[in-house]
Amino acid sequence: MGKSFDIGLERLTGAGLPSASEGVPYIEASRGDTAAAGGTFYLETFGCQMNEHDSEKVAGVLLARGYKQVETPEAAKVILYNTCSIREKAAQKVFSRLGELRPFEGQLAAAKGLEGDTRLNPRKVVNAGGGKIIGVLGCVAQQEGQEIFERAPWVSLVCGSASYRKLPQLIAELEAGNRRVTGLDIDTDETFETEITRRDNPFRAYLTIIEGCDKACSYCVVPFTRGPERSRASASILQEVRQLADMGYTEIQLLGQTVNSYADPSARKMRFSDLLVATAEIPGIRRVRFTTSHPRDFGKDIVDAIEDYPAICEHVHLPVQSGSPAVLRAMARTYTREEYLEKIALMKSAKRSIGITTDIIVGFPGETEGDFQETLSLMDAVQYDGAFCFKYSPRPNTPSLTMIDAIPEEEKSRRLAILLERQREIQRSRNEKLVGDLLEVLVDGKSKRENQWSGHTSSNRVVNFSSHAENILGDYVQVKVTGATPNSLIGEALTGTGAQP
Ligand code: SAM
Ligand code: SF4
């Protein structure tokens, strides 16, 4: 994170949306903690949308305790990294960030509780004698636990996503003189629910409805880092959506590693598709998104909901991972190629034109050239509107770590390049078919170039378009598509169609 609020928020604040500080109810800071002393924090986020949203909640909790967020680690009393460990590269990034904060040897000795030269490096000061607190949050924290203290002794706080509510208390313990604190329980009773989320996106509000994952794909660390599935009660979700609508948000995105595996823990027992409909029916809500859907739990009821409720966005992110039946089995994905294609057929036969995107992994252990060709043929058959493609990365604790027949790195790179090129051509051709169409766009960006704006369609396509209107950020406008690239559409707003909802 560490990014500033953009001009959209300022403008919309006037229209009733929260400002950075207004959005969080004030909770009195307890005497003697960092907040009372005017604590500052720097928060940087790595990884997926769920991590981004967790960071919004972490920021909300700390702001509510009186902390101020700052833009650089140098300016902060508390430096927090919300980490991702889905692939090795992502985890390494965090340790390289921590390396940048490595203190002088004397300070290091002090951090370890040893005597030593305690000269201060003005930038790299550790939590010794009122210095900085450096914390690792999220998936790397949960995965590596106390070992982080061994690798980077200047870290004093390690906290997984299930323990974020305890953060102010953990920081207060450090302030009180503790040298190391951890919050590593995988709490199965509650999700990280808070009403004091600080929202960074003024146009789209994120809401986690299900935490963790019970699926156990053989390559994936998520079940280890985020724990088992826990769903949030439907009444609590809908109440928060109503609050968001009152604040002026018109677009809601429901989040979960397997969002459609949602299982309402309350007596109401709402199905996921019922929850989508109930969210779409809340006055003021014009768009409901959801991600990520797992193919096994994706059924006709979700497609019916999209067909019947225009406010439910015509976009489904349905990761396939591989087109090869053998690789899908080895990945323990719990569906076959045919079953996956049946779900795609359900969407393709819908009355609305549903945008379909996916995730694909190349170079899974044992993936033959034939398996890879099956992934390419599946891409041709589905014609995805977008795909996140990854090289397989072996991860600690996962079953695939010990599988034989690792694919050489150069071969993974070769397959990835072919996949990306194929997908690029598919996107180019799919986007070109939209030239001449009229699409509704929620405007969420203004270019430096005069009269140029950008936004997203219901199918989540990016549209860059021209409009002579003075300020249409947050508006829904009708845009005539005049051109297409593989990654975006180009268009012109129809005059007089901008409407503040
Ligand atoms: N729950 C989602 C699902 O089932 O598709 C995906 C969540 S995961 C955070 C996002 C994506 O990261 C996965 O869909 C997969 O493509 C990719 N991924 C996960 N583990 C990986 C690994 N070990 N190597 C490469 N890519 C991986
Ligand atoms: Fe990971 Fe599979 Fe769960 Fe997705 S469904 S989070 S890929 S274990």
Side-chain angles (χ1 to χ4, degrees):
M1 199 170 290
K3 58 191 174 205
S4 57
F5 294 89
D6 63 22
I7 57 162
L9 183 62
E10 262 170 54
R11 191 183 82 86
L12 288 167
T13 300
L17 275 182
S19 72
S21 56
E22 283 166 357
V24 283
Y26 180 69
I27 296 172
E28 205 177 329
S30 59
R31 214 176 265 260
D33 68 11
T34 310
T40 48
F41 71 98
Y42 169 81
L43 176 58
E44 187 172 349
T45 310
F46 302 86
C48 65
Q49 190 53 60
M50 288 199 70
N51 261 15
E52 290 282 348
H53 182 43
D54 279 348
S55 283
E56 291 183 331
K57 294 192 255 186
V58 167
V61 166
L62 293 176
L63 289 165
R65 296 280 300 195
Y67 290 82
K68 258 177 47 195
Q69 187 164 9
V70 292
E71 295 292 316
T72 61
E74 286 85 348
K77 170 94 172 166
V78 180
I79 302 170
L80 299 173
Y81 295 113
N82 188 5
T83 61
C84 169
S85 65
I86 197 85
R87 282 168 293 277
E88 196 184 354
K89 256 198 190 142
Q92 277 169 355
K93 230 186 238 171
V94 177
F95 285 102
S96 90
R97 277 288 191 287
L98 291 175
E100 290 165 17
L101 299 173
R102 186 185 169 85
F104 287 161
E105 286 310 313
Q107 289 174 267
L108 207 49
K112 287 176 177 166
L114 303 171
E115 291 290 316
D117 171 7
T118 52
R119 271 179 316 140
L120 296 185
N121 174 341
R123 178 157 187 252
K124 303 165 183 176
V125 195
V126 288
N127 183 36
K132 296 194 189 233
I133 291 170
I134 299 168
V136 177
L137 313 180
C139 294
V140 173
Q142 198 68 51
Q143 185 182 293
E144 305 283 328
Q146 310 247 5
E147 279 178 30
I148 293 174
F149 296 139
E150 301 298 316
R151 267 181 90 170
W154 50 99
V155 170
S156 50
L157 174 108
V158 172
C159 181
S161 61
S163 303
Y164 289 160
R165 279 203 229 203
K166 295 188 197 138
L167 263 180
Q169 179 198 326
L170 294 174
I171 294 171
E173 283 174 27
L174 289 169
E175 288 292 315
N178 278 3
R179 279 199 309 111
R180 303 251 189 273
V181 292
T182 57
L184 293 170
D185 297 339
I186 294 270
D187 196 331
T188 52
D189 293 336
E190 55 180 37
T191 57
F192 178 45
E193 246 180 77
T194 168
E195 287 167 15
I196 45 181
T197 302
R198 195 287 308 278
R199 295 188 182 274
D200 289 338
N201 186 328
F203 310 107
R204 184 183 284 185
Y206 297 96
L207 233 109
T208 301
I209 64 163
I210 172 169
E211 261 290 356
C213 180
D214 282 349
K215 295 286 188 293
C217 301
S218 62
Y219 52 81
C220 184
V221 287
V222 169
F224 305 97
T225 57
R226 287 188 171 267
E229 273 173 21
R230 293 93 75 197
S231 293
R232 183 175 168 184
S234 52
S236 155
I237 295 168
L238 294 171
Q239 188 197 350
E240 189 170 348
V241 176
R242 276 190 287 272
Q243 282 169 357
L244 289 164
D246 287 346
M247 287 160 77
Y249 283 99
T250 59
E251 183 173 308
I252 301 292
Q253 181 154 343
L254 306 178
L255 295 178
Q257 290 295 345
T258 53
V259 72
N260 58 326
S261 309
Y262 174 78
D264 188 356
S266 68
R268 215 164 161 190
K269 294 275 170 262
M270 267 193 160
R271 291 181 307 171
F272 173 68
S273 53
D274 297 333
L275 183 68
L276 283 179
V277 169
T279 307
E281 283 182 327
I282 289 175
I285 297 303
R286 289 185 57 159
R287 283 186 175 180
V288 183
R289 299 189 181 280
F290 54 99
T291 199
T292 293
S293 295
H294 190 282
R296 198 190 70 188
D297 299 329
F298 189 86
K300 185 167 179 315
D301 57 326
I302 299 174
V303 179
D304 288 347
I306 296 174
E307 271 194 335
D308 295 343
Y309 292 82
I312 302 177
C313 287
E314 50 190 31
H315 173 220
V316 175
H317 185 64
L318 199 69
V320 67
Q321 313 299 359
S322 171
S324 151
V327 174
L328 285 176
R329 263 196 313 278
M331 287 177 163
R333 281 295 285 180
T334 70
Y335 52 83
T336 63
R337 176 184 167 113
E338 283 64 39
E339 284 165 347
Y340 182 87
L341 287 173
E342 280 164 21
K343 317 267 170 170
I344 296 292
L346 273 180
M347 288 190 270
K348 297 263 181 194
S349 62
K351 284 187 234 102
R352 289 175 76 190
S353 164
I354 299 176
I356 306 172
T357 55
T358 199
D359 294 347
I360 295 176
I361 296 175
V362 293
F364 188 77
E367 184 189 68
T368 62
E369 179 60 27
D371 292 322
F372 175 60
Q373 291 298 329
E374 288 188 284
T375 297
L376 289 175
S377 77
L378 181 126
M379 283 171 79
D380 289 343
V382 176
Q383 297 282 299
Y384 289 110
D385 294 293
F388 295 107
C389 303
F390 308 105
K391 290 192 271 184
Y392 168 71
S393 168
R395 304 308 297 129
N397 303 319
T398 57
S400 63
L401 188 64
T402 51
M403 287 180 186
I404 49 169
D405 293 338
I407 307 298
E409 207 48 39
E410 317 80 74
E411 180 57 17
K412 286 188 204 170
S413 301
R414 186 189 73 87
R415 291 180 190 177
L416 182 67
I418 294 172
L419 211 64
L420 290 173
E421 188 46 38
R422 181 74 62 98
Q423 180 55 31
R424 197 178 155 76
E425 283 316 306
I426 292 172
Q427 281 174 218
R428 182 196 304 281
S429 116
R430 287 191 62 75
N431 283 348
E432 275 170 2
K433 289 196 184 107
L434 296 172
V435 174
D437 282 8
L438 201 57
L439 299 175
E440 185 185 70
V441 172
L442 168 55
V443 188
D444 53 24
K446 176 159 177 35
S447 160
K448 287 197 185 95
R449 285 168 48 215
E450 215 180 329
N451 302 326
Q452 287 298 314
W453 305 81
S454 63
H456 287 81
T457 63
S458 171
S459 66
N460 213 26
R461 284 187 169 81
V462 173
V463 186
N464 298 306
F465 65 97
S466 56
S467 165
H468 291 276
E470 216 169 79
N471 193 351
I472 47 175
L473 280 170
D475 287 359
Y476 289 79
V477 300
Q478 297 294 321
V479 175
K480 174 97 188 253
V481 181
T482 55
T485 72
N487 292 317
S488 60
L489 300 173
I490 301 156
E492 285 164 11
L494 295 193
T495 48
T497 59
Q500 185 75 37

